[in-house]
Amino acid sequence: MSVRVRRIYEEPEPDDGLRVLVDRLWPRGLAKDAAHVDEWPKGLTPSNELRKWFHGGGSYEEFRHRYEAELDAPEAAGLLDGLRKSARKGPVTLLTASKTPEQSHASVLAELLKGKD
């Protein structure tokens, strides 16, 4: 299963496969046609409350714990399962505007997708 995380501001690559925006808000300064996004499942993104808490100084470990709890909700769990099925068929690239993707919700999603094969 090939799942990777990239910044949405990077140029698309041929091996990106399915390009999935996993941010709740559209990235600033990026035209939708230039983003080459295939899916934008907002139900997989952290809630506004959690996002604001984390950006207000919350720890990554606590954020991760709270975000994983949000992903247990029926809508998010269904979307996560659908994304997992897509990843079994071919490469999936999770796109985020985060300046530190390795410490973001996108990396949490990638690990969850890879871990439940």
Side-chain angles (χ1 to χ4, degrees):
M1 180 180 305
S2 174
V3 178
R4 67 180 180 165
V5 176
R6 296 187 63 215
R7 291 199 71 223
I8 193 160
Y9 299 108
E10 297 173 15
E11 286 293 316
E13 294 181 357
D15 59 346
D16 280 349
L18 182 70
R19 291 173 52 88
V20 182
L21 177 62
V22 293
D23 290 348
R24 183 167 294 270
L25 305 174
W26 188 262
R28 292 179 188 226
L30 185 64
K32 290 190 178 182
D33 60 337
H36 303 282
V37 169
D38 298 311
E39 294 181 10
W40 187 14
K42 293 181 187 177
L44 270 181
T45 64
S47 66
N48 284 326
E49 297 79 16
L50 181 56
R51 186 175 51 81
K52 289 176 184 177
W53 173 84
F54 182 51
H55 293 296
S59 76
Y60 177 70
E61 287 308 314
E62 181 63 21
F63 166 79
R64 179 186 186 92
H65 176 72
R66 293 181 185 191
Y67 181 46
E68 287 178 354
E70 287 186 354
L71 290 172
D72 285 338
E75 178 189 6
L79 290 168
L80 188 60
D81 188 49
L83 198 52
R84 189 174 290 115
K85 288 176 184 171
S86 294
R88 286 186 186 122
K89 295 176 186 172
V92 171
T93 299
L94 304 178
L95 303 167
T96 181
S98 174
K99 291 179 183 176
T100 54
E102 64 282 352
Q103 290 260 310
S104 73
H105 64 288
S107 66
V108 175
L109 281 174
E111 288 177 26
L112 290 173
L113 289 170
K114 291 176 187 176
K116 293 184 178 179
D117 207 2

